[in-house]
C-alpha cells in the first residue's frame, strides 16, 4: 500500500508539471530552451565521436586490407549500421521518448568504437566490420538528436532549433580530426595501432553523450509535446493547431529526397578524399586538417542556415544546396592533388552544401509530420539517409579504383543538380 501511494504521488507530480507547460507559455518556453541546451551539450560529445570514423576509417581499412578498392567499406559499413540504428532509435523514441532512444543509440555506438580498437589490436577484419556496424549507431543517434530540439519548437523556430544543436556538434566534430596525431601517439604508447587511436576518443565521447541525455533530458521533450498536442486537440477552438498536426506525405517525400541526395554526394567525395590525399603525398596531419575544415563547414554555418531556411523558405535553401554541392564537386575534380588550399575550399563547400540540404530537408520533415507518429517517421527517413550514405561510401572506392578521384567528384557534382527539379516539382504540386 505504501509503494502504491508513492507511485500515485509521483504520477500526480509529473501530471502537475505537464499541466504547467500546457497552461503557461513561459514555462513551455523555458523547457524548450533547457532542452536545446541539454541536446547541444550531448552533440559536442557526439560530434567528436562521429569525426573519428570519418577521418581514419578508410585509412584503417586500407592498412588492414592492403588495397584501395575497399577503402570505402568502413564508411559504407558504419553508415549501413546507422541505417538499422536509425530505425531502432526512432521506434524506441516513438514508444518511450527521446531520452531512452538517444541514450541507447549513443551507448551502442560507444561499444562499437571499443570493438574497432580491439579489432585493430587483433588485426581482425571480421571484427572490424562487425564493430563498424555497431559504431554506426552513434552516427545515426548524433543525427537524430537534432529532432529532439524541435519537439517543443513552433513552426517558425524549427529550422533554427535544428541549427542550434548542429552548431554545437561543430566543437566536437572539428576537435576530433585535429586530435588524430595526439590520439595516435596515445594509442601507440599503450600498444594499440595508431590509426585506432581516434576510436578511443569516439568510445569515450559517445558514452558521455548518452549519459548526458540519460541524466539530464527530463521531462522528455517528445512525450511532453505529444501530451500538449493531445490536450490542445480536445479544445474545439484550437482549429489551427489541429490542422497543423496532420501528416503531409508529399512534404515527407521531398524532404527525404533532399537529404538522401545530399548524403550520397557528400559521403562519396568525403570518403575518398583521405585516400586521394595520401596518394598525393599528404600526411595524416594534413588529412585531419582538411577533414576538420570539412566537418566544420558541415555544422558551423548551421545557425545562419537555420535562420535562412525559416525566412527564405525550405525550397530556396534546398536549391542552394544543389548548386553548392556542384561547385564542390567541380573544384574537387579539377584541383591539383597537391593543392591543400583548393582541397580545403572544395571540402568546405561540400560540407556547406550538405548543411543546406540537411536543415531544409529536416525542417520539411518536421513540418509534414504529426507528434503522434513523428519519431517513427523521422527514424524511417533517417534509414533512407543512412542507406544512401552507405551506397555512396561503398561505390566511391570502386569508382576511384576503376577510374580516379576526379571522375568521382565530377559525377557527385552533377548528381546534386537533381535537387533543383525535385524542388520545382514540389512547388508546382503545391500550387
Amino acid at each position: 500500500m505504501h509503494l502504491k501511494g508513492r507511485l500515485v504521488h509521483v504520477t500526480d507530480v509529473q501530471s502537475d508539471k505537464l499541466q504547467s507547460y500546457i497552461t503557461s507559455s513561459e514555462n513551455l518556453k523555458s523547457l524548450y530552451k533547457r532542452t536545446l541546451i541539454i541536446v547541444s551539450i550531448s552533440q559536442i560529445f557526439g560530434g567528436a565521436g562521429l569525426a573519428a570514423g570519418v577521418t581514419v576509417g578508410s585509412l584503417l581499412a586500407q592498412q588492414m586490407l592492403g588495397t584501395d578498392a575497399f577503402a570505402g567499406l568502413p564508411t559504407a559499413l558504419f553508415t549501413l549500421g546507422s541505417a538499422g540504428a536509425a530505425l531502432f532509435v526512432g521506434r524506441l523514441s516513438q514508444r518511450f521518448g527521446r531520452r531512452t532512444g538517444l541514450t541507447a543509440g549513443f551507448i551502442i555506438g560507444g561499444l562499437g568504437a571499443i570493438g574497432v580498437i580491439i579489432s585493430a589490436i587483433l588485426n581482425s577484419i571480421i571484427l572490424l566490420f562487425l564493430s563498424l556496424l555497431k559504431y554506426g549507431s552513434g552516427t545515426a543517434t548524433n543525427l537524430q538528436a537534432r529532432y529532439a530540439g524541435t519537439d517543443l519548437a513552433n513552426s517558425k523556430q524549427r529550422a533554427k532549433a535544428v541549427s542550434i544543436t548542429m552548431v554545437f556538434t561543430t566543437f566536437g566534430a572539428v576537435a576530433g580530426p585535429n586530435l588524430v596525431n595526439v590520439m595516435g601517439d596515445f594509442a601507440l604508447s599503450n600498444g594499440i595501432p595508431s590509426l585506432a587511436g581516434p576510436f578511443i576518443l569516439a568510445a569515450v565521447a559517445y558514452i558521455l553523450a548518452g549519459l548526458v541525455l540519460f541524466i539530464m533530458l527530463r521531462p522528455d521533450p517528445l512525450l511532453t509535446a505529444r501530451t500538449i498536442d493531445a490536450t490542445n486537440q480536445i479544445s474545439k477552438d484550437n482549429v489551427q493547431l489541429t490542422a497543423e498536426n496532420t501528416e503531409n506525405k508529399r512534404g515527407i517525400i521531398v524532404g527525404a529526397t533532399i537529404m538522401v541526395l545530399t548524403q550520397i554526394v557528400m559521403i562519396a567525395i568525403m570518403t575518398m578524399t583521405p585516400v586521394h590525399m595520401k596518394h598525393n603525398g599528404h600526411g595524416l596531419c594534413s588529412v585531419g586538417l582538411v577533414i576538420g575544415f570539412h566537418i566544420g563547414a558541415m555544422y558551423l554555418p548551421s545557425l545562419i542556415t537555420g535562420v535562412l531556411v525559416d525566412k527564405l523558405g525550405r525550397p530556396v535553401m534546398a536549391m542552394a544546396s544543389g548548386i553548392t554541392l556542384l561547385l564542390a564537386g567541380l573544384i574537387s575534380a579539377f584541383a591539383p592533388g597537391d593543392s591543400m588550399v583548393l582541397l580545403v575550399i572544395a571540402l568546405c563547400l561540400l560540407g556547406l552544401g550538405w548543411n543546406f540540404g540537411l536543415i531544409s530537408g529536416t525542417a520539411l520533415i518536421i513540418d509534414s509530420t504529426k507528434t503522434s507518429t513523428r519519431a517513427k517517421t523521422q527514424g524511417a527517413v533517417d534509414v533512407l539517409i543512412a542507406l544512401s550514405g552507405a551506397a555512396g561510401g561503398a561505390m566511391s572506392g570502386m569508382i576511384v579504383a576503376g577510374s580516379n578521384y576526379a571522375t568521382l567528384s565530377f559525377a557527385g557534382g552533377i548528381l546534386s543538380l537533381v535537387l533543383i527539379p525535385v524542388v520545382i516539382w514540389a512547388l508546382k504540386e503545391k500550387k
Side-chain angles (χ1 to χ4, degrees):
M1 292 292 291
H2 178 65
L3 178 61
K4 184 177 180 182
R6 285 185 64 189
L7 289 173
V8 170
H9 175 68
V10 170
T11 303
D12 289 342
V13 171
Q14 290 175 338
S15 179
D16 289 342
K17 282 186 176 181
L18 284 175
Q19 191 62 36
S20 73
Y21 299 128
I22 295 168
T23 57
S24 171
S25 60
E26 285 302 314
N27 285 347
L28 184 60
K29 187 185 293 184
S30 175
L31 178 60
Y32 165 63
K33 290 179 179 177
R34 181 174 176 273
T35 300
L36 272 181
I37 291 170
I38 294 165
V39 173
S40 297
I41 292 170
S42 76
Q43 288 293 83
I44 296 174
F45 296 115
L50 165 72
V54 170
T55 307
V56 299
S58 58
L59 297 177
L60 182 60
Q62 182 194 42
Q63 185 182 81
M64 292 175 72
L65 291 166
T67 176
D68 290 349
F70 301 103
L73 263 182
T75 304
L77 285 168
F78 70 68
T79 309
L80 187 62
S82 73
L87 190 63
F88 170 73
V89 172
R91 289 183 179 274
L92 205 60
S93 299
Q94 182 69 41
R95 186 169 181 181
F96 300 107
R98 300 287 187 193
R99 174 174 166 264
T100 300
L102 296 176
T103 297
F106 274 130
I107 297 297
I108 292 170
L111 294 175
I114 292 171
V116 171
I117 298 164
I118 296 171
S119 71
I121 295 171
L122 300 177
N123 197 33
S124 171
I125 296 296
I126 294 174
L127 181 58
L128 172 67
F129 289 169
L130 291 174
S131 299
L132 284 168
L133 284 168
K134 289 181 67 176
Y135 171 75
S137 178
T139 309
T141 309
N142 195 63
L143 194 59
Q144 280 208 30
R146 74 195 189 281
Y147 291 121
T150 69
D151 287 326
L152 300 172
N154 61 45
S155 59
K156 295 180 180 179
Q157 296 175 315
R158 287 166 181 165
K160 186 178 178 182
V162 174
S163 67
I164 288 172
T165 58
M166 288 181 65
V167 165
F168 278 85
T169 307
T170 310
F171 297 112
V174 172
N178 288 293
L179 290 173
V180 165
N181 281 340
V182 174
M183 294 308 300
D185 292 341
F186 174 78
L188 281 174
S189 67
N190 288 277
I192 300 170
S194 62
L195 286 176
F199 284 95
I200 299 173
L201 174 65
V204 173
Y206 277 157
I207 291 170
L208 283 175
L211 290 175
V212 165
L213 292 168
F214 182 74
I215 294 168
M216 301 177 69
L217 198 62
R218 301 166 185 265
D220 191 278
L222 179 61
L223 299 183
T224 302
R226 196 180 296 165
T227 303
I228 291 170
D229 281 351
T231 304
N232 284 332
Q233 285 180 48
I234 294 173
S235 171
K236 293 181 180 178
D237 296 331
N238 208 333
V239 178
Q240 184 181 355
L241 191 145
T242 305
E244 282 185 0
N245 201 33
T246 56
E247 194 168 83
N248 175 7
K249 290 184 179 178
R250 183 179 293 118
I252 293 171
I253 292 169
V254 174
T257 302
I258 290 167
M259 290 190 283
V260 163
L261 284 172
T262 54
Q263 187 79 351
I264 290 173
V265 175
M266 188 276 289
I267 290 286
I269 297 175
M270 176 201 68
T271 297
M272 294 312 297
T273 297
V275 177
H276 170 68
M277 290 181 68
K278 186 177 178 183
H279 285 321
N280 283 276
H282 297 284
L284 198 58
C285 186
S286 296
V287 171
L289 183 65
V290 170
I291 297 299
F293 271 108
H294 166 66
I295 295 177
M298 286 172 65
Y299 296 101
L300 194 56
S302 295
L303 199 55
I304 296 172
T305 304
V307 173
L308 291 174
V309 169
D310 281 334
K311 290 192 176 294
L312 300 180
R314 286 55 163 151
V316 172
M317 294 306 294
M319 288 191 282
S321 170
I323 294 168
T324 307
L325 289 172
L326 172 64
L327 289 174
L330 293 176
I331 295 173
S332 296
F334 297 109
D338 59 353
S339 175
M340 274 288 291
V341 173
L342 289 177
L343 279 173
V344 167
I345 292 171
L347 270 290
C348 282
L349 286 172
L350 187 69
L352 184 63
W354 177 86
N355 178 275
F356 289 168
L358 184 76
I359 295 180
S360 58
T362 298
L364 267 170
I365 295 294
I366 298 165
D367 292 343
S368 306
T369 52
K370 53 185 180 180
T371 54
S372 59
T373 57
R374 181 166 292 162
K376 184 179 176 181
T377 303
Q378 290 165 344
V381 170
D382 278 4
V383 169
L384 293 176
I385 296 170
L387 289 174
S388 63
M395 289 188 298
S396 64
M398 296 177 187
I399 292 171
V400 171
S403 182
N404 53 42
Y405 179 77
T407 301
L408 172 70
S409 299
F410 185 77
I414 297 301
L415 179 62
S416 65
L417 288 180
V418 175
L419 286 173
I420 295 175
V422 166
V423 172
I424 292 172
W425 168 79
L427 289 173
K428 284 182 178 179
E429 289 291 324
K430 191 175 181 180
K431 290 178 182 178

